[in-house]
Amino acid sequence: MTGTAVVVGASMAGLCAARVLSERCRDVVLIDRDPLPDGADWRAHVPQGRQPHLLLHAGARLLEAWFPGIGEELYAGGATEFDVCRDFYWYQSGGTLVRPVSRMRGPVMSRPFLEATVRRRVTALPQVTVRERTTGTGLDTNATGRRVAGVRLADGSTLSCDLLVDATGRQAKSLAWLKELGYAEPPVSRVTVNTHYASRVYRRDALPARDWKAAAVIGDPATKRLAMVLPWEGDRWIVGLVGINGEVPPADEAGRLAFARSLDSPVIADVMAASQPLGEPVTHRFTANQRRHVEKMRRFPLGWVMIGDAVCSPDPIYGQGMSTAAQQAAALGACLDRYPALDRTFTRRFFRAAARPVAVAWSIAAGGDFMYEGTTGEKPPGTDLLNRYVEHVSVAAQHDAAVCVRFTEVAGLIRRPEWLLTPAFVLRVLRYARRGPAGV
């Protein structure tokens, strides 16, 4: 068992890391610069928290394993139980995907509600101490400078630790601290996509009859428009309108409704027209997919790792951030079990293990963004061919349940993308794609 671990950042990545470390460390200290609310309140430094979030099935499974009964706790608090195939109206590539019953079930709720629930569970762990309004400013190391010995804080004190986990998001604040010690930053890949979000919450009542619980309408890539509606606790909807590479959703309600009406399927516009808005629209801009290739670092101090968006921050429209962070936390636990000495082998093995789910998310998000004109950056090999094939898959999924389920499993990070390329599956896709788009 490792001695003391400090996790910097009480995001979902930090919370998952603290949970994993609680079984493997004598003490875990989770620090965050923000005040941490008791309930499902917004956090000032998490602006994306006001936008739609979907916990993919891969992430939901890990949370249930780490926090038994958390699904029922979320449902009791107002989360919606959701079969990601049966209960999701998904329009893409000119038609609506079929909706078979699947085993991929889980909760849908706002991100602040999910974070608050997970945070209460983590705070209750006897090995974990949570310190809010606590800002890290640098690293202490041993005499050789090769091993982390503690985290310096803004109040002048130091938190001693054997392991530091940086969960500070895209900024990855510990990299600046490492630079002061003479360590180079890892190589970075960026795919630039100018994505604008404009989301608004509505009351979830008096709606037209429907047999779905959430919906997404993906416009033709040439339109650079898409929209989604997800159920939130408190009998609310959140409707997110998204414009890509030059398209900016309007903030006024008449313009928002016209934006939604411009899409080929009317379901989201119908929800907006029949629902009472609650509060004003909230905007958010995402400028680039970013991946730090920590697995390629040659020099690093022992007892230091990064996790979550600090490693990879993919386009949020694919909904992968929280689930990928959970998968990285699971990899951290597995590597600590095998290499508890926190030596060079542990760090290398962890970064390589964490890179596997990150690579999947990157291939889906960064590759998918190249469907939109104006996206720039290093294009992964075979992206154009793969995107054309995915169009066939999404058309086939409008006719065949087996194709739909596997397509959804890959999008939900349950299966790797290679499962879309097995010979038998490719033949099935081509057979059903010949039927053409199914329409609304």
Side-chain angles (χ1 to χ4, degrees), residues 61-387:
R61 290 198 309 188
L62 287 170
L63 288 186
E64 187 64 38
W66 291 330
F67 308 104
I70 195 170
E72 293 302 322
E73 184 177 349
L74 291 166
Y75 298 140
T80 298
E81 187 174 8
F82 179 73
D83 179 328
V84 73
C85 286
R86 176 65 185 90
D87 297 327
F88 211 153
Y89 175 97
W90 190 280
Y91 182 96
Q92 184 176 0
S93 303
T96 306
L97 273 61
V98 295
R99 290 162 45 211
V101 174
S102 78
R103 294 177 294 176
M104 291 176 285
R105 304 187 67 85
V108 182
M109 67 266 113
S110 70
R111 172 166 172 165
F113 176 45
L114 174 62
E115 277 198 8
T117 305
V118 174
R119 190 165 56 245
R120 281 196 301 272
R121 290 290 196 103
V122 169
T123 302
L125 296 169
Q127 299 88 348
V128 178
T129 301
V130 179
R131 293 180 54 173
E132 58 184 349
R133 296 184 176 90
T134 302
T135 302
T137 59
L139 291 179
D140 277 350
T141 62
N142 65 358
T144 66
R146 296 179 181 177
R147 182 177 289 275
V148 170
V151 183
R152 297 196 299 273
L153 304 179
D155 64 5
S157 64
T158 298
L159 276 175
S160 298
C161 65
D162 303 287
L163 175 64
L164 170 76
V165 180
D166 182 346
T168 57
R170 284 176 68 98
Q171 293 181 342
K173 292 184 177 180
S174 70
L175 291 179
W177 307 341
L178 263 62
K179 189 175 181 179
E180 295 174 356
L181 300 172
Y183 292 96
E185 294 190 2
V188 180
S189 294
R190 289 187 180 89
V191 171
T192 300
V193 57
N194 190 13
T195 306
H196 287 264
Y197 298 80
S199 299
R200 194 172 196 178
V201 178
Y202 297 79
R203 190 177 302 282
R204 191 167 19 127
D205 57 14
L207 291 181
R210 66 191 190 284
D211 63 348
W212 46 263
K213 297 179 181 179
V217 178
I218 315 299
D220 184 277
T223 70
K224 302 179 182 179
R225 294 184 174 192
L226 58 98
M228 66 199 76
V229 55
L230 298 176
W232 272 8
E233 66 281 359
D235 293 322
R236 298 175 296 167
W237 295 113
I238 183 167
V239 175
L241 306 180
V242 183
I244 300 171
N245 290 342
E247 285 291 321
V248 180
D252 65 287
E253 192 62 16
R256 286 171 50 79
L257 187 58
F259 185 100
R261 291 280 184 214
S262 73
L263 299 169
D264 290 336
S265 170
V267 297
I268 293 177
D270 290 346
V271 167
M272 296 169 62
S275 304
Q276 176 188 350
L278 301 173
E280 296 301 316
V282 178
T283 61
H284 180 64
R285 184 185 179 195
F286 179 84
T287 58
N289 298 271
Q290 178 177 276
R291 178 183 178 187
R292 292 186 173 96
H293 294 274
V294 290
E295 73 279 7
K296 296 181 180 180
M297 292 182 72
R298 295 185 176 182
R299 293 185 65 247
F300 44 79
L302 303 181
W304 165 84
V305 296
M306 296 197 303
I307 198 170
D309 281 0
V311 177
C312 184
S313 175
D315 192 335
I317 64 174
Y318 300 93
Q320 301 165 321
M322 295 188 295
S323 297
T324 305
Q327 290 178 318
Q328 293 175 59
L332 177 61
C335 288
L336 280 171
D337 290 340
R338 291 194 64 186
Y339 310 103
L342 300 180
D343 55 12
R344 190 173 181 82
T345 299
F346 157 74
T347 308
R348 285 194 175 280
R349 292 296 176 90
F350 166 64
F351 282 149
R352 290 172 185 172
R356 286 193 281 272
V358 163
V360 172
W362 183 259
S363 68
I364 294 172
D369 279 346
F370 277 106
M371 291 191 300
Y372 299 100
E373 183 180 358
T375 300
T376 61
E378 184 178 348
K379 187 182 294 187
T383 293
D384 293 336
L385 179 62
L386 183 60
N387 284 341

